[in-house]
Amino acid sequence: MNYIDRNLEKVVLQVSDEYPVVLVTGPRQVGKTTMLQKLMEGTERKYVSLDDLNERSLAKTDPELFLQLHKPPVLIDEVQYAPELFTYIKIHVDKTHNPGNFWLTGSQVFKLMRGVQESLAGRVAVLSLTSLSQAEMCGKQMEPFLVDLKALTERSEQRTPADAESIYARIFKGSMPALISGQNSNSQIFYSSYLSTYIERDIRELSDSIDSLKFLKFITAVAARSSQMLNMADIARDADINQKQAKDWLGILETLGIIFYLHPYSNNMLKRLVKTPKLYFYDTGLVCYLTKWSSPETLESGAMNGAILENYVVSEIRKTYLNCGKEPFMYYYRDKDAKEIDIVLEHDGVLNPIEIKKSSNPGAELTGVFHLLDNASIPRSKGAILCMKPELSAIDRENYIVPIWMI
């Protein structure tokens, strides 16, 4: 299997010179361990995994002895299985103050974060690794996505052009490293195994009372509503569970890094706005598997083509920030009159409105909703339509047309 360079590598090396503990979180199989093992080649750093039940037992029952046996610099994999380690890592860090002593990975983000906040506040750099981005698949470096002409022009020279057919092929295949690298060639078999082993194993760890078949029905109902406003009642009805279960199980999917939310943009100057978040998956291949699309061609012409394209674009923009070690300030806008802007990107004291369309020749009327942000307390800046147009273009000086392959 060929190793795929990850954009987060340089961030890991940078923060390892500044922080004694570096924690890389993200769902299983996205390449956390592979990336860190690649970075530790030729160094003195040792590796230990808490997937090994003997090591896990020692870490839980005698964390002090565990750290004596596995002296830093060390990479501890799946550290969420032994939160007892955090206090002893803190003691060691406070004695030595050596940057980069501990590299940790974890697949259960929020459960893990609570332990970090209690014991390692101020001593740990927390990074998120997602499934592969467009840029990483093409072997390109990336910067956070900005609606800025100079940045977009530079970006167009660093990406591989793709038409609508190719974009939907990327969406259908998904972005898991095992599929992109060629280790696994059949995405249907891969996602079937992924659900039955990795997700189910972690689900059991978080809640041992979950019925596997009901959870599969539940996650399928969630996938069918990607890019939609969260409707707990509809999901619960389709999955044949109650709304409390649906809420708890959505929390599990978010904890495992499978889904994320885009919250509605609002401030005191904007009235009559909805308050419900929209739901997205990090990996569109999993959505395609769960919603039973058989090929990229049927997906492109099917009923979900717009929703899954939006999911793809939102997740790709989010990845450009996370892969640079930054938190994306992304929202959507929708008011009580159902007027909506797909993405509102906030950075450097301005708002960038973004619309997502499958069209290859979008018209100026699509930017009409952008004025809805004019009453916000933060000024509106350039807008963009992300679409299937082959090259970077513009509606006017204030609104750009950006090909989706450029994200």
Side-chain angles (χ1 to χ4, degrees):
M1 181 179 79
N2 294 325
Y3 177 75
I4 300 171
D5 291 328
R6 306 305 300 265
N7 203 74
L8 199 65
E9 291 172 22
K10 58 185 179 183
V11 184
V12 171
L13 294 176
Q14 176 190 333
V15 297
S16 293
D17 290 334
E18 302 169 5
Y19 291 85
V21 184
V22 179
L23 168 63
V24 180
T25 67
R28 289 189 179 274
Q29 292 287 284
V30 297
K32 302 184 297 296
T33 306
T34 303
M35 176 186 72
L36 294 176
Q37 286 182 323
K38 177 77 173 178
L39 292 176
M40 62 186 259
E41 286 180 359
T43 71
E44 297 178 355
R45 191 177 301 274
K46 306 300 182 191
Y47 169 78
V48 58
S49 174
L50 299 190
D51 273 332
D52 183 318
L53 294 180
N54 289 327
E55 297 288 5
R56 185 189 305 183
S57 175
L58 181 61
K60 290 179 74 66
T61 58
D62 195 342
E64 187 175 11
L65 176 59
F66 178 89
L67 292 180
Q68 288 175 5
L69 291 171
H70 303 289
K71 295 182 182 298
V74 63
L75 165 57
I76 305 175
D77 207 6
E78 301 298 349
V79 72
Q80 78 275 356
Y81 288 132
E84 294 84 357
L85 278 174
F86 291 131
T87 299
Y88 289 86
I89 290 175
K90 173 184 179 293
I91 293 168
H92 189 283
V93 163
D94 289 346
K95 282 181 180 177
T96 62
H97 303 287
N98 292 331
N101 254 355
F102 294 92
W103 285 0
L104 313 175
T105 77
S107 302
Q108 297 174 6
V109 180
F110 291 103
K111 176 182 178 182
L112 190 60
M113 288 294 289
R114 284 197 294 272
V116 171
Q117 288 169 347
E118 289 164 9
S119 303
L120 297 176
R123 303 167 180 84
V124 60
V126 181
L127 305 173
S128 296
L129 187 68
T130 66
S131 53
L132 290 164
S133 65
Q134 273 193 155
E136 289 170 326
M137 292 181 205
C138 300
K140 309 293 185 182
Q141 290 295 308
M142 72 172 70
E143 295 293 331
F145 181 84
L146 298 175
V147 184
D148 172 81
L149 186 57
K150 182 174 182 291
L152 289 171
T153 302
E154 291 174 356
R155 208 175 195 88
S156 68
E157 298 166 358
Q158 288 289 322
R159 295 290 182 272
T160 303
D163 58 14
E165 184 180 341
S166 299
I167 292 293
Y168 275 94
R170 290 179 186 178
I171 291 171
F172 180 80
K173 187 172 187 177
S175 52
M176 300 300 281
L179 290 169
I180 303 304
S181 68
Q183 179 185 350
N184 297 102
S185 58
N186 188 314
S187 63
Q188 303 295 297
I189 294 173
F190 172 83
Y191 284 113
S192 174
S193 302
Y194 186 76
L195 282 168
S196 62
T197 56
Y198 293 101
I199 293 180
E200 187 172 315
R201 180 169 68 172
D202 285 334
I203 288 164
R204 293 272 178 237
E205 185 71 25
L206 289 167
S207 177
D208 58 8
S209 62
I210 289 180
D211 178 278
S212 299
L213 293 177
K214 277 198 171 184
F215 195 87
L216 179 60
K217 196 174 180 182
F218 160 76
I219 194 175
T220 301
V222 175
R225 289 167 175 79
S226 65
S227 305
Q228 295 182 23
M229 291 172 65
L230 179 62
N231 188 322
M232 206 80 71
D234 282 358
I235 292 172
R237 185 191 65 240
D238 285 3
D240 195 25
I241 57 178
N242 60 52
Q243 289 192 44
K244 183 184 182 305
Q245 280 180 304
K247 182 179 180 181
D248 291 345
W249 292 5
L250 281 166
I252 289 174
L253 291 181
E254 189 178 13
T255 299
L256 294 177
I258 306 299
I259 65 168
F260 65 95
Y261 296 105
L262 212 57
H263 291 277
Y265 180 78
S266 65
N267 63 41
N268 293 334
M269 306 296 289
L270 297 172
K271 309 298 183 183
R272 292 168 45 75
L273 300 180
V274 300
K275 298 180 180 179
T276 308
K278 292 176 75 172
L279 183 151
Y280 297 91
F281 280 67
Y282 278 104
D283 180 40
T284 53
L286 181 59
V287 179
C288 292
Y289 171 76
L290 288 166
T291 50
K292 300 176 177 60
W293 295 100
S294 60
S295 69
E297 294 75 24
T298 56
L299 176 66
E300 185 180 353
S301 60
M304 277 190 73
N305 71 75
I308 204 157
L309 181 66
E310 179 182 330
N311 192 135
Y312 179 73
V313 169
V314 171
S315 65
E316 285 295 324
I317 292 177
R318 184 172 175 84
K319 288 175 186 178
T320 69
Y321 283 82
L322 295 177
N323 289 339
C324 293
K326 298 183 178 181
E327 181 67 26
F329 295 102
M330 292 173 63
Y331 312 91
Y332 80 100
Y333 176 99
R334 185 181 175 93
D335 61 24
K336 296 294 175 61
D337 298 322
K339 294 177 180 176
E340 185 170 333
I341 300 171
D342 292 331
I343 301 173
V344 178
L345 203 56
E346 181 180 353
H347 67 94
D348 299 327
V350 299
L351 301 175
N352 295 122
I354 299 172
E355 279 289 293
I356 303 164
K357 295 296 175 186
K358 187 185 174 189
S359 168
S360 59
N361 191 27
E365 71 279 357
L366 295 176
T367 64
V369 291
F370 292 172
H371 77 275
L372 295 169
L373 295 176
D374 288 346
N375 292 328
S377 56
I378 299 175
R380 171 168 70 98
S381 186
K382 309 294 186 183
I385 300 171
L386 282 162
C387 63
M388 296 297 187
K389 195 174 182 71
E391 68 283 324
L392 180 63
S393 183
I395 298 287
D396 51 43
R397 286 180 176 271
E398 297 301 313
N399 299 289
Y400 305 127
I401 300 174
V402 182
I404 287 171
W405 58 260
M406 275 179 51
I407 298 173

